[in-house]
Amino acid sequence: MGYSLASQWLVREAITITQRLTRQQSRELTREQLLRSAAELFAEQGVNGTSVEQIVERAGYTRGAFYGNFKGKHELVLALLEQRTQRELEEVRAMSRQSGSFDEMIEHLRSWHGERDRNLAGWLALRTELWLYGLRDRPELLPVLADRERRTRAAMAQGLEQGFADRGVTTPAPVELLALIVHALDDGLSIQRVLSPAHSSTDTVVDVVELLMTAWTALAHSTAPADGHPAAAPADGAPGTSTAHPASPGRTRTFENLEKKP
C-alpha cells in the first residue's frame, strides 16, 4: 500500500512537471510568434507605423498575451534586437566551429549569404527601421545598437584573425579596423544588392572579403622583414637606416592615430 501511494505521488509530480514545462514552452512560443510578427510589420511599415493591436492580430493573440510578455512596444524592440543579434552571432560561431580553415569558413559564408539573400530586402528594411527608431525617437537605444554592431565586428575580427593565421602572417593593421572595413562593406553592398540586383550576386560580399584578404596578406608579406623578425631601431644618433619597409613607419603611425581617435 505504501508503495502504491508513493507511486501515485510520483505520477502526480511527473504530470505537474510536464504541465509546467508545457506552459513554459507555450509562453516561449507565444513570445517568439509576437517577435516574428513585429519584425515583419516593422519591416513593412516601420516601428512607429506599427501598433500593438496589429502585432497581436498578425500573431493570432490577444493584447493580454502581448502584455504578459512585454511591458510595451519599446521593450519588444529591445527584445527583438537582442534576439536578432544573438541569432546572427550563433550562426557565425557555428560556421567557425564547422570550419577547419579560413577557406572553409568562406564557403560556409557563401551558403549563409545565399540564405539571407532570399529575404535580403526585408532583413535590410528591418535593420534600417531599428536604426531610425533609435536615431529619431529613442536616443537611449543608440548604445544598444552600438553594442550590437560591436559584437558583430568582434565576430568578424575573430574570423579575420583565423584567416591571417592560416596564411602565416600577422595582420597588416589592427584587426578591429579591418573588421570595421568588412562590416561597412557588407552593409553598403547589401544596399546595392537590393537596389541593383542585376549588378551584383549573392557571392559579391564574400568575393570582396576574399579580395581584401588577398590584398592584406600581400601587404603583410611586403612589410615584414626578410628574416621574419621585427627590425631593431637604430640608437639615437647612430648611423644607418632601418631595414623595415619604407612605408612601414608612416603606415604604423597612421594606424596608431586611428586607434587613438574616439
Side-chain angles (χ1 to χ4, degrees):
M1 184 68 176
Y3 178 80
S4 177
L5 289 174
S7 298
Q8 292 175 22
W9 180 82
L10 288 172
V11 169
R12 287 197 300 270
E13 283 298 299
I15 292 173
T16 302
I17 292 172
T18 301
Q19 290 174 339
R20 186 180 303 121
L21 289 174
T22 301
R23 286 197 296 270
Q24 179 62 27
Q25 291 169 347
S26 176
R27 177 167 181 168
E28 291 175 357
L29 178 61
T30 299
R31 184 181 177 88
E32 173 65 27
Q33 290 176 334
L34 288 168
L35 287 169
R36 184 184 299 115
S37 297
E40 293 172 358
L41 287 164
F42 291 166
E44 293 169 9
Q45 54 197 40
V47 177
N48 288 332
T50 299
S51 66
V52 171
E53 287 75 12
Q54 289 172 321
I55 294 172
V56 298
E57 181 181 355
R58 176 166 296 196
Y61 292 103
T62 63
R63 287 174 60 89
F66 180 92
Y67 288 107
N69 285 274
F70 307 103
K71 293 179 181 179
K73 190 169 67 173
H74 181 65
E75 185 175 286
L76 180 145
V77 171
L78 293 175
L80 183 61
L81 274 170
E82 183 61 24
Q83 181 200 62
R84 294 292 167 128
T85 301
Q86 285 300 325
R87 186 170 295 171
E88 289 178 12
L89 289 176
E90 287 169 7
E91 289 172 353
V92 172
R93 288 166 183 159
M95 284 188 283
S96 297
R97 289 193 299 269
Q98 297 164 7
S99 303
S101 66
F102 185 77
D103 290 337
E104 288 184 9
M105 179 72 170
I106 286 292
E107 292 310 309
H108 285 305
L109 277 173
R110 288 191 190 280
S111 298
W112 186 81
H113 277 278
E115 288 294 323
R116 191 181 73 170
D117 195 68
R118 297 179 182 180
N119 188 37
L120 183 59
W123 175 85
L124 187 61
L126 174 61
R127 194 168 179 214
T128 303
E129 280 298 330
L130 293 173
W131 289 342
L132 291 175
Y133 178 66
L135 288 169
R136 291 173 177 168
D137 306 299
R138 303 298 289 262
E140 68 272 20
L141 185 63
L142 294 179
V144 179
L145 290 165
D147 181 65
R148 167 186 165 85
E149 299 298 300
R150 179 193 61 77
R151 285 190 277 173
T152 302
R153 291 196 304 273
M156 290 181 174
Q158 186 176 6
L160 291 173
E161 284 180 332
Q162 179 184 352
F164 287 115
D166 289 349
R167 287 158 174 74
V169 296
T170 57
T171 60
V175 70
E176 296 79 10
L177 175 61
L178 303 184
L180 177 62
I181 292 170
V182 171
H183 194 30
L185 283 170
D186 188 4
D187 284 343
L189 290 170
S190 295
I191 293 172
Q192 296 305 313
R193 172 71 177 154
V194 171
L195 296 178
S196 304
H199 297 92
S200 62
S201 71
T202 59
D203 291 332
T204 299
V205 173
V206 182
D207 289 342
V208 168
V209 172
E210 284 194 303
L211 179 63
L212 286 173
M213 282 298 296
T214 299
W216 287 337
T217 301
L219 178 61
H221 280 302
S222 70
T223 57
D227 59 2
H229 298 287
D236 291 342
T241 59
S242 169
T243 58
H245 190 278
S248 296
R251 178 174 55 83
T252 301
R253 284 195 297 272
T254 299
F255 290 137
E256 286 176 348
N257 292 337
L258 283 170
E259 285 185 291
K260 292 176 182 177
K261 290 182 180 180

